[in-house]
Amino acid sequence: RANMAEGPFEAACKAVFAKIEAEGARGITERSIARGVAAFANMDPRKRKDVLEILKSDRGIERKTATTGGRNRVAWFIPTTG
């Protein structure tokens, strides 16, 4: 069962989660996720939103907005507990 093939949506979710996890506390923007995860980049905007919503509800990722000199930076990250 552990070796069963997964669907493309689940594979994209896992890859996106791994990318967010690798970035740590600073988080990663949706644009950077698309640059690093081809499966996510090839999705239409609605499916991208679905991936992030699934990860938000199932894995607990969060979105934070940081004020910068110009445009605000919106990044996804995994909150640390403790």
Side-chain angles (χ1 to χ4, degrees), residues 7-24:
F9 186 81
E10 291 85 10
C13 287
K14 285 182 179 180
V16 168
F17 185 78
K19 192 74 171 169
I20 293 170
E21 190 174 39
E23 289 299 315

Side-chain angles (χ1 to χ4, degrees), residues 33-55:
I33 294 170
R35 285 180 167 172
V37 180
F40 187 75
N42 293 330
M43 291 179 164
D44 60 67
R46 185 176 179 186
K47 288 206 185 251
R48 284 183 181 193
K49 183 179 177 186
D50 289 344
V51 166
L52 294 172
E53 286 298 319
I54 290 289
L55 291 176

Side-chain angles (χ1 to χ4, degrees), residues 50-65:
D50 289 344
V51 166
L52 294 172
E53 286 298 319
I54 290 289
L55 291 176
K56 188 175 170 182
S57 65
D58 291 354
R59 302 265 183 118
I61 67 168
E62 293 180 6
R63 187 176 79 169
K64 66 180 172 183
T65 304

